[in-house]
Amino acid sequence: MFVYVFKYFFGIPERVVSVYRADDSGPFPKPYLGSNVPAEDRIDYITHHGFLRALGGPGLLPSTRRYMNAFAARMQEKSFSEEWTEMPDFSNFFRDVVGSSLVECLYGPTMLRLNPEFMQDLWGFDGSVPWLARGLPSFIKPSAYKPRQSCVGQLKRWYEYAREHFDESSISPDGDGDPYWGSNLMRYRQEKLLAVKNHDDDSLARMDLGLAWGAVGNTIPCAMFSAFHIFKDRDLLRRVRDDVEGSFGGQHLLDIDPNKLIKEPLLSSVYAEVLRLHVKTYFMVSSPHTDVHLGRWVLPKGRIGLMNAGISHMDNSFWNEFGGEHPVTSFWSDRFIIDPADSQSGPVAPHVRESPDWVEPRPDGGKERMDNKPFFSMDGTEGSWFPYGGGHSICPGRFLAKSVILFTCALLARDYDIEMLSDNVEVTTWRFGLGVGGLKHSLPFRIRKRST
């Protein structure tokens, strides 16, 4: 899968792709038995180790903080007043404000300052991916290749500048961020990936384009749909505001603990439901060394299994539709909330829970709750809710993505009023299998600052 994506999506040349093809050592610290790949060429492990540390390990909190500050600053720059401001497209608003903030938290402010067209080209590349995925040659569809080449050139320009200006004293007190490379992840990739056989600035820029696209391609539309559903439903908006203000009071949102925010039950349920409803991504699985027995079936070693999250996410024989009131094809903000006083609540259908194989979920990781309040739960959804894939290859950016989506919605709900100005909301299927489908048409809206 990596070889195909690198070759066709990002145009990485064969001399570099061959290194990935030859790496049979696996993604774990200890190489697979029988592998003789030199440590410096274990590209699968090197890449994933960097992602795991930066996006789910010690780099997660600093990255989240940088996003929070960047997003709040961009909203401040918009200078929205208590009077309504009409804007032409809700989706483009999120691409601009949320997308730029997310890229900045990983790549730093210098990259975007040097390359003010980068975000426009990145979204141009996103729109071209379905063409590139089909292996369409450039002479047939040259417009599909232009944004990619532009992004690669801009990233290489940034490399030159950052190398000239960065030194160790530039690193922020958190030990992760810096104004030139942006984050420890980017410094790690410069050091480790350029040391791998056949890699150079051009190939690394193409992989860093992949990282940027991977960061925004699904996170931003998921954030947009989360906010859309919250602001479309006045009662849901009131509940979200009550929860945010009840938990954090008059505390500035930039001062809150992100770990506390992601535990908010209602916001977490909205997040999980948006991913269930809107993510239609294909995932490939393979066992390189042994057969895998799947009940009556066998996945032979070396063969590929293909799963689509959208199929499982729309399985009405599994998901709780609350007596038909909330079909799987519709958004239900409380689908992932269990109310101890309501036996019909929760994400899994009651008849599934009555199965002899069902294990009763226990909130808070098995700790008994004493308050008997409704709580967010995904227990029992394993194998049916997998917008990020699964196993060791599960998306390493999922924790940052959740923090981005929840903080974005919390800040907008608490500090702004937003109204959609059109009911023409249709999701395109053009990106089916690649992630979240975007809006088919522009969605005009208006926004104003809430009075204090």
Side-chain angles (χ1 to χ4, degrees), residues 60-126:
L60 176 60
L61 183 57
S63 296
T64 303
R65 288 284 185 195
R66 287 194 300 274
Y67 170 77
M68 292 164 63
N69 282 283
F71 176 62
R74 280 180 170 79
M75 289 301 296
Q76 192 70 29
E77 289 170 4
K78 293 292 183 182
S79 300
F80 293 121
S81 70
E82 293 181 14
E83 299 296 323
W84 286 111
T85 298
E86 293 192 6
M87 304 195 74
D89 188 19
F90 199 54
S91 181
N92 282 343
F93 173 74
F94 271 75
R95 287 181 168 195
D96 172 26
V97 180
V98 183
S100 299
S101 302
L102 181 51
V103 167
E104 181 180 325
C105 93
L106 296 174
Y107 292 70
T110 298
M111 196 278 284
L112 291 178
R113 178 176 60 80
L114 292 174
N115 303 299
E117 303 299 318
F118 181 80
M119 292 306 301
Q120 179 180 333
D121 288 330
L122 179 60
W123 289 113
F125 169 77
D126 176 71

Side-chain angles (χ1 to χ4, degrees), residues 334-355:
D334 291 48
R335 199 180 302 271
F336 289 83
I337 290 180
I338 294 179
D339 183 351
D342 185 354
S343 62
Q344 299 300 303
S345 64
V348 181
H351 70 267
V352 176
R353 298 200 299 266
E354 293 165 4
S355 159

Side-chain angles (χ1 to χ4, degrees), residues 73 104 128 156 208 220 255 267 324 339 374 408 434 447 451:
E104 181 180 325
S128 298
K156 289 161 69 175
D208 281 342
I220 304 312
D255 297 329
L267 272 176
D339 183 351
T408 301
L434 292 171
I447 182 171
S451 57

Side-chain angles (χ1 to χ4, degrees), residues 38 82 218 304 372:
E82 293 181 14
N218 288 324
I304 293 174
N372 220 31

